[in-house]
Amino acid sequence: MSADVESRDVPGAEAEIEVPHNTPQNTDTEVAEGSSERVHTSETTNTDVGADESTEAENTLLTQEMVLVQCGAVGEQRATADLARDPSEHVKISVGVSVDSVSSAQVTGPEIDSDEKRLLEAVGETTLNEAGADSDSEDGFENPIAQGSEHLSARRKIQNAKFCSWLIARTDTARKQAFKVAKESVKDEEMSIGNLMMKQESKVIITDPREYQIELFERAKNDNIIAVLDTGSGKTLIAVLLLRHMLDKELEDRAIGKPRRTAFFLVDCVTLVFQQYAVLECNLDQKIDRFCGEMGADLWDKSIWDKHLRDNMVLVCTAEVLYQCLLHAFVSLDQISLLIFDEAHHAKKNHSYARIVRDFYITEPDLTKRPKIFGMTASPVDAKVDVVQAARELETLLHCQIATAADLSLLRNAVSRPNESVLVYGRHQEFDSSRLFRDLDSSFGDMECLSKLFFTARDAASELGTWCSDEIWKYALNNEEEVNKIKRKLEWKFNSRKEAPSMHMLESDLIRVQAAAEMAIKFPFKTPTLSRDDISPKVECLNGYLSKIFERPTESRCIVFVKKRYTAVKLAALFKWIGTRYCKVAALIGSRAAEAGDMKVTFREQVLTLHRFRKGEVNCLFATSIAEEGLDIPDCNTIIRFDLYNTVIQYIQSRGRARHVNSKYIHMVEEGNVDHMQLLHDVHKGERLMRQFCEALPADRKLKGNDFDLDEALAKHRSQRSFVEPSTGAKLTYGSSLTVLANFVDRLPKEDEFERQATYIMTTDNQHYLCEVVLPGNSPIKSAVGRPASQKANAKRSAAFEACLQLRKRAYLDKHLLPIYDKQLPAMRNAHLALNVKKTNAYDMRAKPLIWEQTRGCIPTKLFVTIFQLEESGELGRPYEPLAMLTRTQIPNFPPIDLHLQPGKTSKVLCIGSSSTFNPTTQELDSLTTFTLRIFKDIFNKIYEVDQPHMSYWLAPVTKTQIGDVPNSLAPGSRIDWELLAFVERTDEMTWTMETPHGDLANRFLVDRWDGGRRFFSIGVVPELHARDPVPDGSPAHKYMDNILDYTVSLFSKSRARATFKEDQPVIKAHRVLHRRNWLDEWDEKEEAAKTLSYVCPEPLRISALPTPVVAMAYLFPAIMYRVENYLVTLEACEMLDLQIRPDLALEAFTKDSDNTEEHKATQIHFQRGMGKNYERLEFIGDCFLKMATSIALFAQNPDSDEFEFHVNRMLLTCNQNMFEVALQNKIYEYIRSQGFSRRTWYPEGIKLLVGKGLNKSGKEVIKQRLGDKTIADVCEAIIGAALLSYDESGNMDMAVKAVTALTSHPESEFTNRYKLSKCHNVSQWSDYIKLYRQPKYQLAQASAAQIDLAQKVEQQHSYHFKYPRLLRSAFIHPSYPFSWEKVPCYQRLEFLGDSLLDMVCVNLLFYKYPDRDPQWLTEHKMAMVSNRFFGALCVKLGFHRHIRANGTAIMYRIQEYVAEIEEAERISQSTEPDADISARSYWTLVKDPPKCLPDVVEAYVGAIFVDSDFNFKEVERFFDAHIRWFFEDMSIYDTFARNHPVTYLSNLLTVSFGCTNYRLMASELTSIEPGASQRRIAVVMIHDEIVAEGVASSGKNAKVKASTNALKLLKGLAPFEYRSVYGCDCKEADQGFVDGERLEDLARRIREGTVGSAV
């Protein structure tokens, strides 16, 4: 998954949100979101609301957001300098991973699977990562219940500060803790490099210094000296003594107020950093630290270096680190008290030792600011030069005096010297090639790309024998990775030529390389023997000697020195076969990057090999020069120079490895080889001269007659210009300019297909070289030309120097000569994009559609008819007649409306409209008006003024003969029962007299004259009952129950006394009409149990002229009208957005039925009954389409942008802040339906109420609703979902595309204009995407044979034929693969696109297959479908992993390891057991997560198909159907996979089980100080401001999982009261009181307003 880091805004952004000026502000009083308040004002309403600008966003559990704190761990740039002022200033938040991902100081994301990424969102000054999202969008959670914004803000600052403090302490102790655990329980192979070195060096070395050591220490106290002592003579001990002295002196200086100064121990290589640090740490009682370039230390900023100088008295580092610090003015020379140069003989030419002295030490005019210097070496000479001259040059350059022991005999007695001897081996035979060599040479000997291998194999055959020679071929050609290196180099050379040769040549060479590999694969390699056919005389001689040493079990150790890496590796392999059983061999070689066929080893493997050698697990080491100098090799019995040395220093230092008493130093010399014997003579003579030189030094140890001219030596360097930044002292030199410029270029945003590198073009001018440096196209300067130089190297430096000067002049380099550009973090990781899910504002809610208001004001001349009738006639439980509604404008055909007419049953009301109109006469309009107002009077107890121009609609009965007719079969006017209308118009009510026939009282609608709430449907007269008879049992309760007549009269006592009624009137049996208006809601128990059978008398009642079938239907009209008007309001919103959406989906998209609609499994707060479906499911699918649509648009318009820029722009487009601001401009909030059916708001507006509740209202009714900012943004996504589903049957996505454009930008939105989003998605239909796409050059270029072959192979796995094979190749190019080799970009762009496409097809399956599942269930189960784990398994199943092109063995090794595991899991799943089908579909859930490149390749492949097919989404669906759908036909298989995620489980436990509201999951980067070590993340669970659990992993996501898992171990099984007791939690009681109080207050309000009544 995109890494990404990628994600949507979630509840819980840790950020203060500034309310836009046009946003309605928070009211002073707390009102729950979604609740509404009605304000009766004049026509214009002015609501004064206050603002709460300090409200902070709340994190919710479901969003799982992670909070990242920048707190000063190693590598956390710009973090710790100001921590003391305000730790909260360094809090960097990712509202996103995904929640993906998190780190201290640097927000690193939600790898962030896309859903997890989408749970993250941010953009600020964070320095990512994950993040995304991921994002990584990285992930964390926090309580979802708000407790007051000011309190939260203060609480979080405290929590952040605590986390900072804890993390600093945790980082400081992590290494020691890890080492302690490692020593006790961890295998050496599993230990970190630093711990391994600590383990082997954790001993005190200083016991009793020898006399010569004390002597040199005393000299070093007073003078700058270079101690020249043999290897093993204790030079480091002298350095320790000097450091102790200097540290004591430094403490005294500080005590009297002098500036702080720090000692630097400089070494030549990374390995020695760890080795010397371990020694010093055990022998110094002051704080020290270690640094090397692999830790990024050379590019930290000044604040970090200030901290390290403040905190430590000694720093061990490579010389290059200090040199870079001096260049950038992070450290100045006067801050250094002592410079120790280990292996000081390197101080020459352009070595960092020499540059430090040459560029800074010598140029410092104030001698008091220069630090003391102490050098150490076994010989001041490391080349074939004059000893005295070399010594003088070294002394002069380092401003030191060479010193050695006054009495050299003491030194010789103290240091064990080996016995030297010569081992003579037979002369080399003429080169005798093996059969494999001859076969390869005859077929491929002419290939330039194999020439180095042929040379190496020939040399190996001569030096080592044919077996080793064949092993060279076996390693180079039997290894797919090595073969791919050869092919890549071929392609690189082909692509780098100025004149493009024929593609056929490249294809031919690639085929031949593959043929050579196949020849090697088929060759029968054999086991070596001691025969001359297999080994050379030299190896035979070595074997004979080693056989004697390791004849029996022994503690002897031997090092065999060779010159070449392959010699060491192949000899080690050979002696595993031919050596004795007691000879345990290994190879030790350098860790530099290797070409094809070169042997290679990692730094960690070096350390492990040395560690095994020390322990005796290896006793014979075949080593290159890496073992000669510096590395601490334990005492050896035997040193063998299999290949002789080149210089005196090599001889002396390799001999120094033999420190054991009676040790041997063997020179292997070829018989009769004069050069070998001369070399032996030369090194002995050189050593003798060096000894004589040292013995000749005078007593004061100062060189006499040192005529070496330093000025003359430095003249060539002084001729090279330098630049010093006045404000800081940062220095730019010719030598440093290359590094400064390379660093600047690397920080540029990646553009097009060009690598971030500078190109140097060399020309000649009058016997001088002239160089021009060309920078990438997006650099602020394009090129710079240097000055003429006599050497190419200086010409190149001059060009870089000029470029750096221009960059500094234009302020693109800062005052420390660092680039102002950084690899900017995605804008999504800015907290300003986050929205607060709990923050609410008061907004106007549109109660009535504008259609009524816009058409009122005149007498209508034409009317449209809409008929409401039940789908099934018997569902009402009594006879009914359809009802017609007549409107000035046509009403759309609405979907059937679900009503609950009987308990437990749902009935549908059909809305049948007509496009035809009829022209009513004045009389007809009068009749319609009378009938409509009679409905309101008789049924709803409302009397309105007759005002035809201001009536919104009219009601009319439908003739029985027209019921059920086809809507347009008859003229609209003919459907109305005009006869009934005339009767109602002339009959106000039915008059009862004693003469009225009893039959006329049957089936009548009776209304209590004095209590409009009492209405009855009469059944008929009951002759046996009389008016003064007691009220029969079972009648509904009434205030007067003495007799039937009293029961009928509702007058108060005084009025009753004056009223008289006939005693002999009949008694009517009737059903009382329930006070049920909201037929949209299900019946509750009280309504079901209500009694309705009543006995009344006719005289006190009004007998309506309305027929009961009409009344029965009219009783449903309020609910129908509520739904119709909501349809109309939401359709008006769609019309405003120029979207054509189905009415039911439009209403669903705008419906928010509770305060916490988005909390799918929580108890709904202030739930509004009968509103129908809410927006949450549409928001889920709309969010997914939004992600896909914006991804396609960005990809199409910017095909050369990298994945990073895509994520940035997509998150800007899709973030909730953007959606919210656009929604404000469109006033989307007015159309949101957050209020359920109300008996007070369904009545028509425009006409004056004369009698009834609400009589005193004046003007237009304004309804206010409380909405969260995020709710409004979510509704926008739901609108997109509605637009998509409106055309799902046809598969047309044009309307959804149009919706995305309408809802992601607005010309008046500040956010749109700030981030220039107006053109990011400016399309109105799907076909517009392909029109935007500009095919990049790489896609259109001619495909090679290899690329065409790849397309053919992949087509066998999925039947799609690529028009552009190079596009397919891009889907398999790993980011580590150099672009220049094939001129094809890596898969990240296509992966970004494919991720969103696969998200969409997976969501489609779940959405349609599970229509009743809530979004949380859908999200959890979608996570399984789009998980890296599944796509990784799918990649292997499709065989895509075989085609990945990456540059690195570690990647390929991880792939191979995973492939073996997943294939084994699949094989096991193919069983015959009953659940075999389940296992076959879900086997991938049982293995570990794959290397991320595998799922990325699947997503990139889908993206490639989509682009190649001209953006045909059906091809994506076809891929899904062919390869994915089968795995997920039964989603119940993945219930456990979805729900058992530790973070989800923990969040549910805390929220639901314990009711806790004060917890957070926070994470930070835990930077390793070991070179090459991967970054580590640490996450913690904080409960009530205390950290209770932690977890460390390679990513924020996994660290979060570990922390949650550890927290669950503590919490699971606790009862709620135990949890509250242990963790001091009092959240539940307080929160419950708040909620209950709100509910009680709301209930009281509703009772006062009459919205709650009895259902009697």
Side-chain angles (χ1 to χ4, degrees), residues 751-764:
E751 186 176 90
D752 297 325
E753 295 140 8
F754 302 102
E755 294 181 354
R756 284 188 285 255
Q757 66 180 19
T759 303
Y760 293 89
I761 302 172
M762 198 74 64
T763 58
T764 57

PDB file of all heavy atoms in Angstrom, residues 751-764:
ATOM      1  N   GLU A 751      12.101  15.679  -9.815  1.00  0.00           N
ATOM      2  CA  GLU A 751      11.281  16.160 -10.929  1.00  0.00           C
ATOM      3  C   GLU A 751      11.556  15.321 -12.165  1.00  0.00           C
ATOM      4  O   GLU A 751      12.686  14.892 -12.406  1.00  0.00           O
ATOM      5  CB  GLU A 751      11.612  17.623 -11.226  1.00  0.00           C
ATOM      6  CG  GLU A 751      10.709  18.248 -12.259  1.00  0.00           C
ATOM      7  CD  GLU A 751      11.022  19.711 -12.437  1.00  0.00           C
ATOM      8  OE1 GLU A 751      11.865  20.041 -13.276  1.00  0.00           O
ATOM      9  OE2 GLU A 751      10.433  20.524 -11.702  1.00  0.00           O
ATOM     10  N   ASP A 752      10.503  15.122 -12.938  1.00  0.00           N
ATOM     11  CA  ASP A 752      10.600  14.356 -14.167  1.00  0.00           C
ATOM     12  C   ASP A 752      11.255  13.010 -13.875  1.00  0.00           C
ATOM     13  O   ASP A 752      10.978  12.370 -12.876  1.00  0.00           O
ATOM     14  CB  ASP A 752      11.380  15.133 -15.231  1.00  0.00           C
ATOM     15  CG  ASP A 752      10.659  16.421 -15.593  1.00  0.00           C
ATOM     16  OD1 ASP A 752       9.408  16.417 -15.606  1.00  0.00           O
ATOM     17  OD2 ASP A 752      11.333  17.423 -15.846  1.00  0.00           O
ATOM     18  N   GLU A 753      12.108  12.591 -14.796  1.00  0.00           N
ATOM     19  CA  GLU A 753      12.735  11.284 -14.620  1.00  0.00           C
ATOM     20  C   GLU A 753      14.205  11.420 -14.282  1.00  0.00           C
ATOM     21  O   GLU A 753      14.964  10.472 -14.397  1.00  0.00           O
ATOM     22  CB  GLU A 753      12.562  10.470 -15.907  1.00  0.00           C
ATOM     23  CG  GLU A 753      11.115  10.149 -16.186  1.00  0.00           C
ATOM     24  CD  GLU A 753      10.790  10.260 -17.656  1.00  0.00           C
ATOM     25  OE1 GLU A 753      11.705  10.430 -18.459  1.00  0.00           O
ATOM     26  OE2 GLU A 753       9.602  10.186 -17.987  1.00  0.00           O
ATOM     27  N   PHE A 754      14.639  12.606 -13.907  1.00  0.00           N
ATOM     28  CA  PHE A 754      16.054  12.834 -13.690  1.00  0.00           C
ATOM     29  C   PHE A 754      16.429  12.575 -12.246  1.00  0.00           C
ATOM     30  O   PHE A 754      15.715  12.916 -11.324  1.00  0.00           O
ATOM     31  CB  PHE A 754      16.416  14.274 -14.074  1.00  0.00           C
ATOM     32  CG  PHE A 754      16.086  14.604 -15.501  1.00  0.00           C
ATOM     33  CD1 PHE A 754      14.955  15.337 -15.816  1.00  0.00           C
ATOM     34  CD2 PHE A 754      16.892  14.138 -16.517  1.00  0.00           C
ATOM     35  CE1 PHE A 754      14.645  15.643 -17.119  1.00  0.00           C
ATOM     36  CE2 PHE A 754      16.583  14.426 -17.831  1.00  0.00           C
ATOM     37  CZ  PHE A 754      15.465  15.175 -18.141  1.00  0.00           C
ATOM     38  N   GLU A 755      17.610  11.977 -12.092  1.00  0.00           N
ATOM     39  CA  GLU A 755      18.109  11.737 -10.753  1.00  0.00           C
ATOM     40  C   GLU A 755      18.560  13.049 -10.140  1.00  0.00           C
ATOM     41  O   GLU A 755      18.961  13.988 -10.839  1.00  0.00           O
ATOM     42  CB  GLU A 755      19.283  10.756 -10.802  1.00  0.00           C
ATOM     43  CG  GLU A 755      18.895   9.359 -11.258  1.00  0.00           C
ATOM     44  CD  GLU A 755      20.075   8.422 -11.275  1.00  0.00           C
ATOM     45  OE1 GLU A 755      21.198   8.907 -11.035  1.00  0.00           O
ATOM     46  OE2 GLU A 755      19.866   7.234 -11.515  1.00  0.00           O
ATOM     47  N   ARG A 756      18.526  13.091  -8.833  1.00  0.00           N
ATOM     48  CA  ARG A 756      18.994  14.281  -8.140  1.00  0.00           C
ATOM     49  C   ARG A 756      20.528  14.218  -8.078  1.00  0.00           C
ATOM     50  O   ARG A 756      21.092  13.768  -7.077  1.00  0.00           O
ATOM     51  CB  ARG A 756      18.376  14.357  -6.750  1.00  0.00           C
ATOM     52  CG  ARG A 756      16.934  14.787  -6.746  1.00  0.00           C
ATOM     53  CD  ARG A 756      16.434  15.030  -5.330  1.00  0.00           C
ATOM     54  NE  ARG A 756      16.213  13.782  -4.641  1.00  0.00           N
ATOM     55  CZ  ARG A 756      15.018  13.276  -4.410  1.00  0.00           C
ATOM     56  NH1 ARG A 756      13.954  13.919  -4.804  1.00  0.00           N
ATOM     57  NH2 ARG A 756      14.880  12.142  -3.773  1.00  0.00           N
ATOM     58  N   GLN A 757      21.170  14.647  -9.130  1.00  0.00           N
ATOM     59  CA  GLN A 757      22.614  14.666  -9.138  1.00  0.00           C
ATOM     60  C   GLN A 757      23.112  15.760 -10.082  1.00  0.00           C
ATOM     61  O   GLN A 757      22.440  16.130 -11.037  1.00  0.00           O
ATOM     62  CB  GLN A 757      23.192  13.320  -9.556  1.00  0.00           C
ATOM     63  CG  GLN A 757      22.894  12.921 -10.987  1.00  0.00           C
ATOM     64  CD  GLN A 757      23.482  11.572 -11.342  1.00  0.00           C
ATOM     65  OE1 GLN A 757      23.804  10.778 -10.476  1.00  0.00           O
ATOM     66  NE2 GLN A 757      23.640  11.316 -12.622  1.00  0.00           N
ATOM     67  N   ALA A 758      24.296  16.251  -9.776  1.00  0.00           N
ATOM     68  CA  ALA A 758      24.917  17.253 -10.625  1.00  0.00           C
ATOM     69  C   ALA A 758      25.738  16.552 -11.705  1.00  0.00           C
ATOM     70  O   ALA A 758      26.347  15.513 -11.459  1.00  0.00           O
ATOM     71  CB  ALA A 758      25.814  18.162  -9.783  1.00  0.00           C
ATOM     72  N   THR A 759      25.748  17.131 -12.890  1.00  0.00           N
ATOM     73  CA  THR A 759      26.503  16.571 -14.007  1.00  0.00           C
ATOM     74  C   THR A 759      27.662  17.502 -14.336  1.00  0.00           C
ATOM     75  O   THR A 759      27.470  18.705 -14.528  1.00  0.00           O
ATOM     76  CB  THR A 759      25.590  16.410 -15.247  1.00  0.00           C
ATOM     77  OG1 THR A 759      24.483  15.592 -14.902  1.00  0.00           O
ATOM     78  CG2 THR A 759      26.354  15.786 -16.396  1.00  0.00           C
ATOM     79  N   TYR A 760      28.871  16.935 -14.376  1.00  0.00           N
ATOM     80  CA  TYR A 760      30.071  17.721 -14.651  1.00  0.00           C
ATOM     81  C   TYR A 760      30.542  17.460 -16.081  1.00  0.00           C
ATOM     82  O   TYR A 760      30.762  16.318 -16.483  1.00  0.00           O
ATOM     83  CB  TYR A 760      31.186  17.379 -13.663  1.00  0.00           C
ATOM     84  CG  TYR A 760      30.861  17.802 -12.249  1.00  0.00           C
ATOM     85  CD1 TYR A 760      30.181  16.948 -11.376  1.00  0.00           C
ATOM     86  CD2 TYR A 760      31.211  19.065 -11.777  1.00  0.00           C
ATOM     87  CE1 TYR A 760      29.874  17.332 -10.086  1.00  0.00           C
ATOM     88  CE2 TYR A 760      30.911  19.467 -10.482  1.00  0.00           C
ATOM     89  CZ  TYR A 760      30.243  18.598  -9.646  1.00  0.00           C
ATOM     90  OH  TYR A 760      29.933  18.985  -8.372  1.00  0.00           O
ATOM     91  N   ILE A 761      30.682  18.547 -16.863  1.00  0.00           N
ATOM     92  CA  ILE A 761      31.092  18.453 -18.264  1.00  0.00           C
ATOM     93  C   ILE A 761      32.463  19.119 -18.398  1.00  0.00           C
ATOM     94  O   ILE A 761      32.626  20.300 -18.099  1.00  0.00           O
ATOM     95  CB  ILE A 761      30.066  19.134 -19.182  1.00  0.00           C
ATOM     96  CG1 ILE A 761      28.686  18.477 -18.984  1.00  0.00           C
ATOM     97  CG2 ILE A 761      30.499  19.054 -20.635  1.00  0.00           C
ATOM     98  CD1 ILE A 761      27.575  19.192 -19.690  1.00  0.00           C
ATOM     99  N   MET A 762      33.458  18.336 -18.857  1.00  0.00           N
ATOM    100  CA  MET A 762      34.837  18.804 -18.906  1.00  0.00           C
ATOM    101  C   MET A 762      35.237  19.142 -20.343  1.00  0.00           C
ATOM    102  O   MET A 762      34.977  18.376 -21.276  1.00  0.00           O
ATOM    103  CB  MET A 762      35.759  17.730 -18.349  1.00  0.00           C
ATOM    104  CG  MET A 762      37.121  18.224 -17.941  1.00  0.00           C
ATOM    105  SD  MET A 762      37.082  19.176 -16.388  1.00  0.00           S
ATOM    106  CE  MET A 762      36.544  17.931 -15.233  1.00  0.00           C
ATOM    107  N   THR A 763      35.885  20.284 -20.532  1.00  0.00           N
ATOM    108  CA  THR A 763      36.445  20.666 -21.824  1.00  0.00           C
ATOM    109  C   THR A 763      37.878  21.141 -21.596  1.00  0.00           C
ATOM    110  O   THR A 763      38.308  21.367 -20.452  1.00  0.00           O
ATOM    111  CB  THR A 763      35.620  21.783 -22.483  1.00  0.00           C
ATOM    112  OG1 THR A 763      35.575  22.920 -21.598  1.00  0.00           O
ATOM    113  CG2 THR A 763      34.207  21.318 -22.762  1.00  0.00           C
ATOM    114  N   THR A 764      38.630  21.296 -22.680  1.00  0.00           N
ATOM    115  CA  THR A 764      40.013  21.780 -22.572  1.00  0.00           C
ATOM    116  C   THR A 764      40.116  23.165 -23.201  1.00  0.00           C
ATOM    117  O   THR A 764      39.439  23.493 -24.178  1.00  0.00           O
ATOM    118  CB  THR A 764      40.983  20.822 -23.288  1.00  0.00           C
ATOM    119  OG1 THR A 764      40.582  20.682 -24.655  1.00  0.00           O
ATOM    120  CG2 THR A 764      40.989  19.475 -22.613  1.00  0.00           C
TER     121      THR A 764
END
